[in-house]
Amino acid sequence: MRKARQVTLSDIAQVVNVSKVTVSKALRGHPDISSETVAKIKKVAGELGYYPNFMARNLSSQRSNTIGVIVPKIAHSFFASIIESIYDAAFENNYEIILTVSQENADRELRHIHSLLSMRVDGLMVSISQQTIDFSIFKTVRERGIPLTFMDRVVDDPQFNRVMVDDYGGSFSAIEHAISVGYTKIGHVAGFQHINIGRSRYKGFAEAMNKHNLPIRPEWTVFGGFGENDGYLGFKKMCSSGEIPEFVLAVTYPVALGIYRAATEMGMKIPRDIDIICFGTSASNRFVSPSLTYIEQPTVEIGKRAFEITLENIRKGDQFEPKQIILPTTLVLQDTCRKKTAGVRENIAAG
Amino acid sequence: MRKARQVTLSDIAQVVNVSKVTVSKALRGHPDISSETVAKIKKVAGELGYYPNFMARNLSSQRSNTIGVIVPKIAHSFFASIIESIYDAAFENNYEIILTVSQENADRELRHIHSLLSMRVDGLMVSISQQTIDFSIFKTVRERGIPLTFMDRVVDDPQFNRVMVDDYGGSFSAIEHAISVGYTKIGHVAGFQHINIGRSRYKGFAEAMNKHNLPIRPEWTVFGGFGENDGYLGFKKMCSSGEIPEFVLAVTYPVALGIYRAATEMGMKIPRDIDIICFGTSASNRFVSPSLTYIEQPTVEIGKRAFEITLENIRKGDQFEPKQIILPTTLVLQDTCRKKTAGVRENIAAG
DNA sequence: ATGAAAGCGCTAACAG
DNA sequence: CTGTTAGCGCTTTCAT
């Protein structure tokens, strides 16, 4: 099976006996060409199995009709769902998406940015890795005039387009809910503080605690990454301090699963010994036992809005003003944190 | 922020006062150029913020160093995991991946193939959608000499590269396990029979049943898609027949979750009223109650092997002989299907 | 309505 | 070691 030479515009032109310019125009629906000619050309193009060469087309037209996307992970329903939503939006708008995955690794993220710039994508949509500390590349991207939209995990600078969720409010209401249920010994398996979601979620937690005059105990506040293992390690560390809280807020769904694993390993029952709420969910949460009460993040909306903003930015170019969007979150009650259970026995013993 | 003109080879050439060819060679590490010149050029390139233009490079070199990937879904841990594995392999080999998602839709799949061919990808890796019936485009791709590797969901033709798992064996041993545990009333929420995985899994089920002289009851064998809702509908349909089986084999993990949902809705308890095994799993399975005993598919291996084969095919071109790989599956025992529970009470009543 | 000329940014082949 | 010449396949003026 020898790699056949590509069919080009000229091949078609030769057969139809017109110039390649005519063919190019005809195939793109340019109004110049007579419908007869167009029909003839299309017919031949079909017979020959012609595919326009994306590279050549973009090189000469100086645009790619392509948007580059960088996410930290995909085997995680939060991102998977955002990505599906981006693909849907792109498909409708006849845009191509080039998806890259940083695997929470800053080097890899940087390398992907370089590739995408090389490909001359028309725009970039990114959710930064949990390791990313140096944001200078993003400034460079902006200086080059390439539209850039951050999603969820953003760079702290309103000059960029950003689509976020109300992390602060989500945390705050989750903690208030836990308090309303009767908990006072409250901890937080938190995210890195150099990432906005880690920061805002912590802040919501802290301010809700303050408002209700509850102490924020350092042993009950552990900081780390956003994956399952981080939750596992974080909760173990928290427990190693001796006394454990009655309730923890988990910074992500995978972190909550890690806490489940750690708790199970230590012979603790949820919510009997430790109760939980987390950010985000997954398709199987309803069958998880106990299913997690969670702060819902509008993933489809994030992807859709981020795409729209990026597209608008591409189209308007210089005229475009950076946009900030903060989408609301909702607390979805499931099995955990329905009423105070953890710590109840101790209190009885004590009282 | 005006879109700055790109920095090109010529710009660098002008500054360093050499020809653009020299610059091109220097930047690609071609041995021709003196190390002094190389150093000078690299320095200037850095200062100017030069990025090679992928389009131009590929257009002139006639290769893209890019592999196109098409999967039916990504918000599903089976595919998400395969994809991560492909990205890892590609990253190591300095290849770019262009990922597209068909959303189980054949039209969309076809359109993606066209885009990918337009982009002149060096190779293609695909897992077909559950709707795909017309395989002619894949033959076209082959005829054009573009390396193509199917993953998991394949076209029934050994002329293509294919990386599959032992679906037949997986089903067979799952059914034998269920029988060994004591079940005789066995059903299958099966996949479409025009897709290889649906077929092979059904076949393994059927032959295991035959071997043990158990009847395959049509009411207990429902066919459909591979998503959660398909499981939900399939199981409801199965139950509408009146008598229900003691045990079902679910064709995928999402289908099993759909069965959980349907069962819960109908007031049935798992495994007390209906016991289950399924193909595949997810990160949260260990916390699902009861956690599903499942047939493990080596997703990382699928992605890795498929990438390697595609790469080898690209490199060898004509010399390459199509490869078939069937990876083994393992039955992983969890909470479901440990001992006969479903149907037990009836038997007691009857006996 | 059609086409000739020029060029997108780069690499390959060959010459000096 | 360095540079010249050509051309990848397409689109974009600008003539005709």
Side-chain angles (χ1 to χ4, degrees):
Chain A
M1 202 66 54
R2 124 142 269 88
K3 183 137 179 173
R5 198 181 66 77
Q6 301 174 15
V7 178
T8 71
L9 284 184
S10 305
D11 296 326
I12 301 173
Q14 210 154 19
V15 176
V16 184
N17 211 13
V18 291
S19 82
K20 64 179 184 179
V21 181
T22 307
V23 177
S24 170
K25 285 178 178 167
L27 259 21
R28 278 177 301 147
H30 194 111
D32 264 8
I33 315 298
S34 77
S35 47
E36 288 173 72
T37 322
V38 170
K40 233 185 298 179
I41 289 173
K42 286 201 167 160
K43 181 160 162 290
V44 174
E47 288 166 1
L48 261 39
Y50 170 78
Y51 287 89
N53 183 318
F54 179 89
M55 308 288 172
R57 175 174 280 181
N58 295 156
L59 181 60
S60 87
S61 67
Q62 300 283 57
R63 13 195 328 286
S64 65
N65 243 271
T66 295
I67 289 176
V69 177
I70 308 176
V71 292
K73 278 241 156 245
I74 57 173
H76 170 355
S77 90
F78 177 73
F79 291 112
S81 168
I82 289 180
I83 294 163
E84 283 198 353
S85 160
I86 294 174
Y87 271 104
D88 284 347
F91 193 75
E92 273 173 31
N93 289 278
N94 261 297
Y95 256 75
E96 297 294 334
I97 292 296
I98 300 196
L99 175 66
T100 61
V101 185
S102 66
Q103 298 282 32
E104 299 284 14
N105 177 320
D107 291 341
R108 208 140 151 173
E109 184 174 82
L110 183 61
R111 200 165 129 184
H112 284 316
I113 295 174
H114 287 306
S115 296
L116 294 170
L117 291 182
S118 276
M119 293 189 185
R120 300 300 191 260
V121 292
D122 293 343
L124 231 37
M125 298 169 67
V126 1
S127 195
I128 62 178
S129 91
Q130 68 183 26
Q131 272 188 12
T132 307
I133 294 174
D134 180 2
F135 303 135
S136 56
I137 181 68
F138 298 113
K139 304 224 162 94
T140 307
V141 168
R142 187 176 56 202
E143 278 155 19
R144 293 178 150 243
I146 295 163
L148 168 56
T149 306
F150 287 106
M151 303 173 290
D152 192 53
R153 301 196 196 168
V154 309
V155 167
D156 190 15
D157 177 346
Q159 291 272 55
F160 293 111
N161 300 314
R162 303 188 298 176
V163 179
M164 299 169 275
V165 303
D166 182 12
D167 291 302
Y168 172 85
S171 270
F172 196 95
S173 61
I175 297 299
E176 287 213 308
H177 175 74
I179 292 170
S180 77
V181 152
Y183 290 124
T184 53
K185 299 180 175 180
I186 294 176
H188 182 17
V189 180
F192 290 127
Q193 295 299 292
H194 60 267
I195 306 284
N196 65 302
I197 60 171
R199 255 192 330 266
S200 301
R201 290 172 193 184
Y202 176 77
K203 196 171 167 218
F205 155 78
E207 297 199 1
M209 295 291 277
N210 285 338
K211 178 177 165 195
H212 293 271
N213 293 310
L214 293 173
I216 296 169
R217 295 179 42 171
E219 327 84 86
W220 292 350
T221 324
V222 297
F223 299 95
F226 303 101
E228 197 203 294
N229 213 39
D230 300 299
Y232 175 82
L233 296 173
F235 188 60
K236 282 233 158 164
K237 188 175 162 206
M238 189 181 281
C239 291
S240 72
S241 74
E243 199 185 355
I244 63 162
E246 299 158 350
F247 171 90
V248 284
L249 173 65
V251 70
T252 65
Y253 183 82
V255 161
L257 290 185
I259 297 173
Y260 271 47
R261 180 155 59 90
T264 308
E265 220 175 273
M266 296 186 290
M268 294 162 72
K269 275 278 192 191
I270 298 165
R272 192 197 64 191
D273 303 307
I274 178 78
D275 211 342
I276 307 188
I277 289 181
C278 69
F279 269 86
T281 184
S282 98
S284 14
N285 183 46
R286 58 187 303 160
F287 307 109
V288 166
S289 177
S291 63
L292 279 151
T293 286
Y294 61 93
I295 298 148
E296 184 171 47
Q297 300 159 302
T299 48
V300 172
E301 191 75 6
I302 294 173
K304 185 162 174 278
R305 298 294 287 279
F307 180 85
E308 287 166 357
I309 290 173
T310 311
L311 191 57
E312 194 188 337
N313 192 165
I314 291 171
R315 296 203 167 130
K316 294 200 178 156
D318 295 354
Q319 318 306 320
F320 186 83
E321 288 297 318
K323 283 212 175 137
Q324 311 292 315
I325 295 193
I326 297 184
L327 298 168
T329 55
T330 328
L331 187 68
V332 179
L333 296 179
Q334 298 290 340
D335 294 346
T336 62
C337 203
R338 295 310 284 255
K339 56 177 186 189
K340 179 167 174 171
T341 49
V344 166
R345 293 165 308 150
E346 293 165 19
N347 293 345
I348 290 168
Chain B
M1 202 66 54
R2 123 140 269 92
K3 183 139 180 171
R5 198 183 64 77
Q6 300 174 15
V7 179
T8 73
L9 285 184
S10 306
D11 297 325
I12 301 174
Q14 211 155 19
V15 176
V16 185
N17 212 12
V18 291
S19 83
K20 64 179 185 181
V21 180
T22 307
V23 178
S24 169
K25 284 179 179 165
L27 259 21
R28 278 177 300 147
H30 193 111
D32 263 8
I33 315 297
S34 77
S35 47
E36 290 174 70
T37 322
V38 170
K40 230 185 300 177
I41 290 174
K42 285 202 168 160
K43 180 160 163 291
V44 174
E47 288 167 0
L48 261 40
Y50 171 78
Y51 287 89
N53 184 319
F54 179 89
M55 308 288 171
R57 175 174 280 181
N58 295 156
L59 180 60
S60 95
S61 67
Q62 299 285 56
R63 16 196 325 288
S64 65
N65 242 272
T66 295
I67 290 177
V69 177
I70 309 177
V71 293
K73 278 242 155 243
I74 55 173
H76 171 354
S77 90
F78 177 73
F79 291 113
S81 169
I82 290 180
I83 293 164
E84 284 198 350
S85 159
I86 293 175
Y87 271 105
D88 284 346
F91 194 75
E92 273 174 29
N93 288 279
N94 260 298
Y95 256 75
E96 297 293 334
I97 293 296
I98 300 198
L99 174 66
T100 61
V101 184
S102 66
Q103 298 282 33
E104 300 284 14
N105 176 321
D107 291 341
R108 208 139 149 172
E109 184 175 81
L110 183 61
R111 199 166 131 185
H112 284 316
I113 296 174
H114 287 307
S115 296
L116 262 11
L117 290 181
S118 275
M119 293 190 187
R120 300 302 190 259
V121 292
D122 293 342
L124 232 36
M125 299 170 66
V126 2
S127 193
I128 62 178
S129 91
Q130 68 182 28
Q131 271 188 13
T132 308
I133 293 173
D134 180 2
F135 302 135
S136 55
I137 181 69
F138 299 113
K139 305 223 161 93
T140 307
V141 169
R142 188 177 56 204
E143 279 154 19
R144 292 177 151 245
I146 296 163
L148 168 57
T149 305
F150 287 106
M151 303 173 291
D152 192 55
R153 302 196 197 169
V154 308
V155 166
D156 190 15
D157 178 346
Q159 293 270 56
F160 293 110
N161 300 315
R162 302 189 298 177
V163 178
M164 298 169 275
V165 302
D166 182 13
D167 292 302
Y168 172 85
S171 269
F172 196 94
S173 61
I175 297 298
E176 286 213 309
H177 175 74
I179 292 171
S180 77
V181 153
Y183 290 123
T184 52
K185 299 180 174 178
I186 294 176
H188 182 18
V189 180
F192 289 127
Q193 295 298 292
H194 60 268
I195 307 284
N196 65 302
I197 59 170
R199 258 192 328 268
S200 302
R201 291 172 193 184
Y202 176 78
K203 198 172 165 217
F205 154 79
E207 297 198 1
M209 295 291 278
N210 285 338
K211 178 178 166 195
H212 293 271
N213 292 311
L214 293 174
I216 296 169
R217 297 179 40 170
E219 328 82 87
W220 291 349
T221 323
V222 297
F223 299 94
F226 303 101
E228 197 202 294
N229 212 40
D230 300 299
Y232 175 83
L233 296 173
F235 188 63
K236 283 231 156 166
K237 188 176 162 205
M238 188 181 280
C239 292
S240 72
S241 73
E243 200 184 355
I244 64 162
E246 299 158 349
F247 171 90
V248 284
L249 173 65
V251 70
T252 65
Y253 183 82
V255 161
L257 290 186
I259 296 174
Y260 270 47
R261 180 155 61 92
T264 307
E265 219 176 276
M266 296 186 291
M268 294 163 71
K269 274 279 192 190
I270 297 166
R272 192 195 66 192
D273 302 307
I274 178 78
D275 211 343
I276 307 188
I277 289 181
C278 69
F279 269 86
T281 182
S282 97
S284 15
N285 183 45
R286 60 186 302 161
F287 307 107
V288 166
S289 175
S291 64
L292 279 151
T293 286
Y294 62 92
I295 299 148
E296 183 171 49
Q297 300 160 301
T299 47
V300 171
E301 191 75 6
I302 295 174
K304 184 162 174 278
R305 298 295 287 278
F307 181 85
E308 287 166 356
I309 291 173
T310 311
L311 191 56
E312 194 189 337
N313 193 164
I314 290 171
R315 296 203 167 131
K316 293 199 178 155
D318 294 355
Q319 318 306 320
F320 186 84
E321 289 297 319
K323 282 211 174 139
Q324 310 293 314
I325 294 193
I326 298 185
L327 298 167
T329 55
T330 328
L331 187 67
V332 178
L333 296 180
Q334 299 289 339
D335 294 345
T336 63
C337 204
R338 294 311 285 254
K339 56 180 186 187
K340 180 166 172 171
T341 49
V344 166
R345 292 164 307 153
E346 293 164 21
N347 292 346
I348 291 168

